[in-house]
Amino acid sequence: MTTGRRGRLTVYLGAAPGVGKTYAMLDEAHRRRARGTDVVIGLVETHGRTATVERIGDLEMLPRRLVEHRGTTLTELDVPAVVERSPEVVLVDELAHTNAPGSEHPKRWQDVHDLLDAGIDVVTTVNVQHLASLTDDVEAITGVRQRETVPDKVVREADQIQLVDLSPEQLRRRLAHGNVYRADQIDASMSSFFRVGNLTALRELALLWLADRVDDALTRYRADHAIGGTWPARERIVVAVTGGPETETLLRRAARIAQRAAGTELLAVHVLPTDGLPSTPSATIAAHRALAESLGGVFHTVVGEDVPSAVVDFARGVNATMIVVGVSRHSVWRQALLGSSGAEIARLSGAIDVHLVTHERAHVGTGVGSRYSSLSPRRRAAGWGSALVLPAALTAVLLLIGRDDVALATDAMLLLAGVVGVALIGGLWPAVVAAVVSNLCLNWFFAAPVGRLTIAEGENVLALAVFVVVAVAVASVVDLAARRTTQAYRARAEASTLAALSRSVLSGQDTAQAIVERLAQTFAMAEVRLEERADDRAPWAVVAHERWATTEAGPVGSGGSGRSGATDDGPVTEVAIDDRHRLLLAGRVLPASDRQVVEAFGAQAGIVLEHRRLREQAAQAEVLERTESTRTALLAAVSHDLRTPLAVIRTAVDGLASPDVELDREDRDILTATIADSTYRLERLIGNLLDLSRLQTGAVRPVLRAASLEEVVPIAVEPWLSDLALDVPEDLPLVHTDPGLFERVVANVVSNAVRHSPPGAKVLFTASATRAAVELRIADTGPGVPDDRKATMFEPFQRLDDTSVNGLGLGLAVASGLADAVGARIAAEDTPGGGLTMVLTVPREPAPDSGRDDGMVP
């Protein structure tokens, strides 16, 4: 009997055998029992230790299950016996134990899960060397490979973990005194597994593993209680990654700092602008991510407008104790004007330490080449040309107009407009050159004294200086806007491409074909193939194929060859999705930026294809499981329910045919009636089996027409007339159904009601009409059905409390299936005073002149 809740799991974790896990578990059992808790021992391994045996005391111990294996009798935990006993708490020793062959589960932790599912709390024990994630480390330390393991997830999900700790010296003394192993095993154990170094390392593993679990609980607690401050419970180092050449130095320095204290975590964080557009090439970020992971760290990417604030917020969010940041690459004068990220992080960090690391690129400036241009080479060439030609052309125009007719401010504004035009054409640096050239032209041709680079009037000096500053500022803004526009357009195109794939999948299109069609359209490729193979040695086979009308390479040729290289359609680009899938695109050479999009597209396509394959496999497995379950239940039920009436018929026939027995007429009539009754039961059983088979295979084809209940009810209830109290009015309207199939529905429901009614009690059969339907109510006064069983009572092989011997539990399943087929509904309600009422609702026949079924009374 289950309580409706899942049991709680308590684990006693130790670093090695003999630290006292079982003894501590028994202590807890005695404490719980003293508080009135029902505690039993499911399985405790004493290993002959006297103190453990004595500590069991008077605790109730359930018998173990005996298993015969190769002539040896083994004992295992008897899960059914524990469930039947249904204690509040059960003790189960050695969670990682491997069960004997022939057991229901191969591992004891799976038995424990069954007990937890039954609502029983479990207290268990496990050693750290049995945790699956630590087996390699334990083997490297002790030289012994642990064969019995338990998944870390099983222990991590425990509601409570208690560490049973003992120093290596104390454990060795226990071993020497014979409190762990027999005397003949002591010397060998102390010189091998139980060396001080081994025990110290295992103890550290146990502490670090448990610290991870405690840290998870601490994180949840801080989140639940909205605690934003840093709690330095564990060393956690955050590295601020800019993407520059100094990143490798920062990561390696932070990794060396992390190695000074065991259990320290290393986290690298890179901040993107709020628009999500990267300022560093993705290949560089990928290389830094790989380096961080190779050093044992985790790489994170966050979005933030202000880099120092984003780094500090991330550090506080992960409860970091230190931030590692590099010395600024900007020149000293720029730091003096704008400050540095390192100084700002130190100002905002609060209780978090900030470690400033110098490097080769410190204070040398970012360089002109650090900002890559998104403009095409043609636009850049036009920009540099216009930087020289446009100022000269504007100067010539102004000279033609005349120096005396136009003021210096007007000359400056016109040349400033030319600088802005250069920025729109070629970007920042051509505009800077244009600003310098324009300034020289203003000074030489228009600022007094003309023809010299000296300036006579002080206000002209200010005007020319402001001109240069404004020109450079405007050019910088225009260049930034142009780059952001290009990046935003590309990002929008990428998002649109991936969104189109998602829409194709969600709309029910063939996933593989949707992939290649979208790729061919988006990237204007002559041909796109999606290929797969069964394994690394199998040949590639085409899954989906799409040819597009025209490409940049010209008209479509004869088709791709399916190999990287070139075809009549142009160069072929191969993009690997995974080991079993690849994309081939023919038509033109893909730029690096487009290839990255295609790779991202392919990765998503691979996930979609794998998800579809797993979904298909799951559907097939579900069908097979359902079929197998039905077959197993059918065979198990038929072995009794089909054999019982056959045995009765055989006995009655033998009695009638026996020459040694003289029967009078009354006895012959009884045997004949028995044969008839058993034959009828067989007919109904076989009929229900055939109906169930037809329903599951979709072979039921109802013929719906107008019918009267007078042609359905009498035939359906005839075998049970003496057990029924009928109240069916004669003026009921016609119904719209298949009379033959609906008769089977009524018969099965009535048969079920009669079978579960008390002896001598009548089943009430009533009928009434509503505005849109006719209701038949079959009410019995039997035991009824609990509410939690009403949802499953219409499934095959469901028999109330498994006590019925007069059928397979198919009657209601067949009735429900046939009712759906003929448009009727069947529902279960409680009978007032006790019992079950089955309600059959069948639609009324529409009026001939209504034209539609609107549910109104004719």
Side-chain angles (χ1 to χ4, degrees):
M1 181 182 66
T2 63
T3 61
R5 70 168 185 91
R6 181 174 172 82
R8 295 175 56 84
L9 177 63
T10 300
V11 177
Y12 281 91
L13 175 68
V19 296
K21 303 180 302 299
T22 304
Y23 197 92
M25 178 178 67
L26 292 170
D27 276 345
E28 178 175 347
H30 283 287
R31 289 194 300 271
R32 292 198 183 195
R33 195 183 67 166
R35 295 194 298 265
T37 304
D38 182 14
V39 183
V40 301
I41 296 177
L43 188 146
V44 166
E45 299 289 358
T46 64
H47 298 290
R49 298 166 188 163
T50 304
T52 304
V53 174
E54 293 176 351
R55 194 54 188 156
I56 292 177
D58 57 352
L59 291 174
E60 179 183 352
M61 185 178 299
L62 299 180
R64 301 188 184 187
R65 181 172 53 86
L66 302 181
V67 180
E68 295 291 336
H69 179 62
R70 295 181 179 177
T72 303
T73 301
L74 305 176
T75 61
E76 297 291 353
L77 174 66
D78 194 340
V79 176
V82 176
V83 174
E84 183 179 359
R85 169 62 175 78
S86 189
E88 295 180 68
V89 181
V90 61
L91 309 186
V92 180
D93 210 359
E94 298 185 358
L95 184 64
H97 172 76
T98 300
N99 290 330
S103 301
E104 182 179 359
H105 297 301
K107 304 292 290 187
R108 183 168 291 167
W109 62 263
Q110 295 170 313
D111 295 335
V112 168
H113 269 201
D114 289 348
L115 297 177
L116 296 174
D117 290 339
I120 302 173
D121 294 346
V122 178
V123 183
T124 186
T125 64
V126 69
N127 285 326
V128 70
Q129 66 263 30
H130 295 300
L131 297 174
S133 65
L134 301 178
T135 52
D136 293 337
D137 295 333
V138 172
E139 183 179 12
I141 294 170
T142 65
V144 178
R145 184 71 176 181
Q146 298 295 327
R147 300 185 180 278
E148 293 188 331
T149 61
V150 59
D152 289 47
K153 181 180 179 182
V154 174
V155 184
R156 280 188 178 276
E157 291 179 349
D159 299 278
Q160 186 176 0
I161 301 178
Q162 296 283 351
L163 178 65
V164 182
D165 189 32
L166 203 63
S167 69
E169 292 76 13
Q170 289 176 305
L171 181 56
R172 284 172 60 85
R173 282 197 297 271
R174 291 196 63 197
L175 182 67
H177 294 158
N179 295 329
V180 180
Y181 292 136
R182 299 192 308 270
D184 57 347
Q185 298 177 319
I186 294 176
D187 292 338
S189 299
M190 293 188 69
S191 61
S192 56
F193 187 88
F194 285 83
R195 294 197 299 266
V196 173
N198 291 354
L199 297 177
T200 302
L202 291 175
R203 188 185 188 194
E204 183 178 18
L205 280 179
L207 291 170
L208 291 177
W209 189 92
L210 188 59
D212 284 336
R213 207 264 186 182
V214 173
D215 190 70
D216 293 340
L218 177 61
T219 301
R220 289 194 299 270
Y221 179 84
R222 294 177 69 242
D224 294 341
H225 293 78
I227 299 175
T230 300
W231 285 9
R234 180 177 184 179
E235 291 294 327
R236 192 172 280 110
I237 299 175
V238 171
V239 186
V241 174
T242 63
E246 78 281 1
T247 299
E248 182 175 349
T249 301
L250 297 181
L251 288 173
R252 295 191 184 279
R253 180 66 59 84
R256 289 198 297 271
I257 297 174
Q259 290 173 357
R260 296 173 186 171
T264 300
E265 289 188 20
L266 177 65
L267 301 96
V269 59
H270 176 67
V271 181
L272 291 174
T274 52
D275 56 11
L277 301 176
S279 58
T280 304
S282 57
T284 303
I285 297 299
H288 293 160
R289 181 188 298 273
L291 176 60
E293 293 174 351
S294 68
L295 295 173
V298 181
F299 194 95
H300 297 268
T301 301
V302 297
V303 176
E305 185 64 35
D306 183 61
V307 173
S309 298
V311 171
V312 173
D313 290 343
F314 174 82
R316 288 183 179 142
V318 298
N319 201 27
T321 56
M322 179 184 293
I323 301 175
V324 176
V325 63
V327 175
S328 176
R329 285 180 286 131
H330 297 310
S331 58
V332 176
W333 67 266
R334 181 169 179 176
Q335 291 186 52
L337 292 175
L338 303 177
S340 67
S341 296
E344 185 66 10
I345 289 174
R347 186 183 70 83
L348 298 172
S349 62
I352 306 175
D353 296 337
V354 177
H355 190 89
L356 198 62
V357 178
T358 188
H359 50 88
E360 295 179 356
R361 300 287 300 176
H363 307 304
V364 300
T366 57
V368 175
S370 64
R371 174 175 285 180
Y372 60 92
S373 176
S374 60
L375 302 177
S376 66
R378 181 178 300 176
R379 284 189 61 179
R380 290 199 297 270
W384 286 111
S386 61
L388 301 175
V389 174
L390 193 56
L394 292 174
T395 300
V397 171
L398 291 173
L399 289 174
L400 290 175
I401 296 174
R403 289 191 295 267
D404 297 335
D405 297 332
V406 182
L408 179 62
T410 303
D411 297 333
M413 292 300 295
L414 186 59
L415 289 172
L416 179 60
V419 173
V420 173
V422 173
L424 291 174
I425 297 173
L428 174 63
W429 294 108
V432 172
V433 173
V436 174
V437 173
S438 298
N439 182 62
L440 294 175
C441 291
L442 280 173
N443 194 353
W444 184 271
F445 292 104
F446 302 105
V450 177
R452 298 173 61 184
L453 294 179
T454 59
I455 303 174
E457 299 180 8
E459 61 180 14
N460 289 341
V461 175
L462 179 60
L464 292 175
V466 171
F467 171 81
V468 173
V469 172
V470 172
V472 172
V474 171
S476 177
V477 172
V478 171
D479 176 73
L480 178 62
R483 289 192 300 110
R484 290 305 190 201
T485 299
T486 302
Q487 292 172 344
Y489 178 78
R490 174 170 293 279
R492 185 178 65 180
E494 295 173 5
S496 176
T497 301
L498 296 178
L501 172 63
S502 301
R503 286 195 301 270
S504 298
V505 175
L506 293 176
S507 62
Q509 298 181 20
D510 179 71
T511 304
Q513 192 61 35
I515 292 169
V516 296
E517 289 179 2
R518 186 61 57 182
L519 278 173
Q521 296 175 17
T522 302
F523 296 96
M525 304 303 295
E527 183 178 12
V528 178
R529 290 173 180 262
L530 176 62
E531 299 182 347
E532 71 174 359
R533 59 182 178 180
D535 52 55
D536 294 341
R537 298 181 180 180
W540 291 99
V542 177
V543 177
H545 178 220
E546 177 69 14
R547 296 181 65 84
W548 199 237
T550 59
T551 69
E552 295 179 0
V556 175
S558 59
S561 64
R563 296 176 289 106
S564 298
T567 67
D568 294 339
D569 292 332
V572 175
T573 302
E574 178 181 338
V575 177
I577 298 177
D578 51 41
D579 294 338
R580 297 180 56 248
H581 298 89
R582 71 176 181 180
L583 285 168
L584 295 177
L585 300 92
R588 63 186 176 93
V589 178
L590 283 178
S593 57
D594 283 353
R595 185 180 179 91
Q596 292 176 1
V597 179
V598 174
E599 288 176 351
F601 195 93
Q604 182 174 352
I607 295 173
V608 172
L609 290 174
E610 183 67 14
H611 179 69
R612 185 182 70 171
R613 184 183 66 83
L614 294 176
R615 188 170 61 246
E616 291 174 351
Q617 289 182 350
Q620 294 174 357
E622 183 179 358
V623 172
L624 292 175
E625 181 181 2
R626 187 167 57 248
T627 302
E628 183 63 24
S629 176
T630 301
R631 182 184 297 111
T632 301
L634 179 60
L635 291 176
V638 166
S639 64
H640 176 271
D641 293 288
L642 194 59
R643 186 168 51 192
T644 299
L646 286 175
V648 172
I649 294 173
R650 176 63 181 272
T651 302
V653 170
D654 289 344
L656 290 173
S658 175
D660 300 328
V661 179
E662 293 186 4
L663 300 174
D664 56 22
R665 184 177 183 83
E666 182 179 357
D667 291 336
R668 289 181 176 275
D669 291 342
I670 293 175
L671 291 177
T672 302
T674 301
I675 294 174
D677 180 65
S678 298
T679 303
Y680 176 74
R681 286 173 54 192
L682 277 177
E683 289 177 348
R684 291 197 58 81
L685 174 61
I686 295 173
N688 281 331
L689 288 173
L690 291 176
D691 287 340
L692 181 64
S693 175
R694 293 169 59 202
L695 287 170
Q696 291 183 342
T697 57
V700 176
R701 297 290 185 269
V703 179
L704 303 180
R705 63 176 177 85
S708 170
L709 290 183
E710 294 180 356
E711 62 178 301
V712 174
V713 174
I715 300 176
V717 303
E718 181 181 2
W720 305 280
L721 279 176
S722 60
D723 300 308
L724 295 178
L726 287 173
D727 183 12
V728 180
E730 297 180 355
D731 57 347
L732 288 174
L734 299 178
V735 295
H736 187 72
T737 187
D738 183 315
L741 295 180
F742 188 61
E743 180 268 326
R744 295 297 309 277
V745 175
V746 176
N748 281 4
V749 172
V750 171
S751 172
N752 181 78
V754 171
R755 186 166 61 250
H756 290 95
S757 294
K762 294 280 187 177
V763 173
L764 179 61
F765 189 115
T766 62
S768 61
T770 64
R771 295 173 63 87
V774 173
E775 279 190 359
L776 304 181
R777 305 180 69 88
I778 298 94
D780 65 62
T781 55
V785 176
D787 290 339
D788 58 345
R789 290 286 303 275
K790 290 177 182 176
T792 60
M793 64 184 296
F794 296 104
E795 297 177 2
F797 311 111
Q798 299 295 318
R799 296 186 295 186
L800 184 61
D801 297 327
D802 291 329
T803 58
S804 174
V805 296
N806 295 322
L808 296 177
L810 296 179
L812 293 182
V814 172
S816 177
L818 293 178
D820 290 339
V822 300
R825 297 193 308 273
I826 182 171
E829 299 177 357
D830 292 331
T831 301
L836 183 70
T837 298
M838 303 297 291
V839 182
L840 296 177
T841 305
V842 58
R844 295 175 58 165
E845 177 68 12
D849 58 345
S850 65
R852 61 184 179 92
D853 185 6
D854 58 2
M856 300 297 292
V857 177

